[in-house]
Amino acid sequence: FGESQSRAVLSLDPGKAGELENYLKARNVPFTKLGAVGGQDIVIDGENFGEWTEWFERYDQMLVEKLKS
């Protein structure tokens, strides 16, 4: 248990975005739309961070290395 703020990243069907926004607003939950999902690259605010598969592999390998130690 901690008292720090938590955050979540959600990915959903674009047709459901309005429904989620209404749900969060009705409960006074602050949120920020980061972008849209599609294609192979991670692009946030116009900045391309490369292919998602590369980041997945980095995370996966880092996790394996941490578990070994």
Side-chain angles (χ1 to χ4, degrees):
F1 180 80
E3 297 199 21
S4 62
Q5 294 181 350
S6 62
R7 289 163 179 73
V9 176
L10 305 176
S11 176
L12 63 144
D13 183 302
K16 301 277 186 175
E19 185 178 337
L20 177 62
E21 288 180 19
N22 291 337
Y23 179 89
L24 296 173
K25 287 177 183 176
R27 289 156 181 80
N28 295 317
V29 176
F31 66 92
T32 301
K33 180 179 177 183
L34 295 175
V37 176
Q40 294 295 313
D41 290 349
I42 298 173
V43 180
I44 300 173
D45 292 335
E47 186 173 350
N48 189 321
F49 292 90
E51 290 189 18
W52 70 268
T53 53
E54 180 182 332
W55 288 97
F56 179 81
E57 289 171 16
R58 286 183 186 184
Y59 171 79
D60 199 37
Q61 290 303 314
M62 181 273 313
L63 188 57
V64 169
E65 292 301 318
K66 291 292 183 184
L67 290 173
K68 285 181 183 178
S69 55

